[in-house]
Amino acid sequence: MKLKGRNKVSPEFSMSSMTDIVFLLLVFFMLTSSVPNALDLLLPKAKGKSTNVQNVSVSINKKLEYYLDNLKVNPEFLETELKRKLKDQETPTIILRAEEGVPIEKAVDVMDIANRNNYKVILAVRPK
């Protein structure tokens, strides 16, 4: 009596399906990742070190338009928007990106808002 089956189980594993899944995940994450600094600003040159700490970015261009994390904001509402974004942060930090040629008074206004609310301010510059 023959009890052995005709179909044999192959113990080999094909990696092609795993490779396809990993490739699709890579493409998905590349498409969904955000660009943190999408505004095209020409920053002033200075010597200094760079930092990776960033909670909120405030950008001012030559047209005196204010951007809060790449979203255009009215200067009158900048303080309230900063308070809303930084309310849950342990050490709230603002990266100030003022384009070359922007009057210093505009940058000082943002620094004054940060001083009133005990936020740290980092001025972004281009390396020399």
Side-chain angles (χ1 to χ4, degrees), residues 29-77:
F29 287 122
M30 285 178 61
L31 291 175
T32 58
S33 68
S34 64
V35 179
N37 188 13
L39 293 176
D40 188 24
L41 297 177
L42 184 62
L43 298 174
K45 291 182 180 179
K47 289 184 181 178
K49 62 179 183 177
S50 63
T51 179
N52 290 334
V53 176
Q54 179 176 356
N55 291 335
V56 167
S57 172
V58 175
S59 304
I60 309 170
N61 63 13
K62 285 185 182 179
K63 299 176 189 174
L64 301 180
E65 297 170 331
Y66 288 72
Y67 291 89
L68 185 63
D69 286 339
N70 301 327
L71 297 173
K72 195 171 180 180
V73 175
N74 193 339
E76 291 87 34
F77 303 120

Side-chain angles (χ1 to χ4, degrees), residues 73-92:
V73 175
N74 193 339
E76 291 87 34
F77 303 120
L78 182 63
E79 185 168 6
T80 56
E81 288 296 317
L82 282 170
K83 284 181 181 179
R84 185 180 59 79
K85 282 211 169 218
L86 296 173
K87 67 179 177 184
D88 297 329
Q89 300 296 328
E90 189 174 310
T91 57

